[in-house]
Amino acid sequence: MSRKSQEPTVCPKPSPRPERELARVRVLADELADLEARVAAVRAQRNKAMLDARRAGATGQHLADAAGIDRRNVTEVLRSATPE
């Protein structure tokens, strides 16, 4: 029984470089990096607000409802919040 070997299909490298398409990738990558930084900043603010609410007497369920997260994630969020 003979077994055919299957070589992976390799796309030839384009020549010249597709600069227009690469420029679009760069623009979108920069935009994504900016958005990710903004998300991280807002998440840190939310986490701090949750910590403040907890100190004011909010229960884990109150925090979960307010933040729109599962109750089981509240403890982890509170751990990650850095108090001022």
Side-chain angles (χ1 to χ4, degrees), residues 61-79:
Q61 190 60 53
H62 294 152
L63 294 171
D65 292 343
I69 62 175
D70 287 340
R71 169 65 184 92
R72 65 177 176 244
N73 295 327
V74 169
T75 303
E76 185 61 33
V77 169
L78 293 176
R79 278 189 199 132

Side-chain angles (χ1 to χ4, degrees), residues 18-40:
E19 291 301 329
R20 184 183 61 200
E21 290 81 358
L22 293 172
R24 176 143 172 80
V25 170
R26 287 184 201 100
V27 167
L28 292 171
D30 288 345
E31 184 178 344
L32 184 58
D34 291 343
L35 290 170
E36 288 171 343
R38 177 75 177 128
V39 166

Side-chain angles (χ1 to χ4, degrees), residues 41-52 67-69 77 80-81:
V42 173
R43 181 175 289 122
Q45 292 173 359
R46 187 235 17 218
N47 294 353
K48 169 72 170 67
M50 288 177 67
L51 187 60
D52 292 344
I69 62 175
V77 169
S80 70

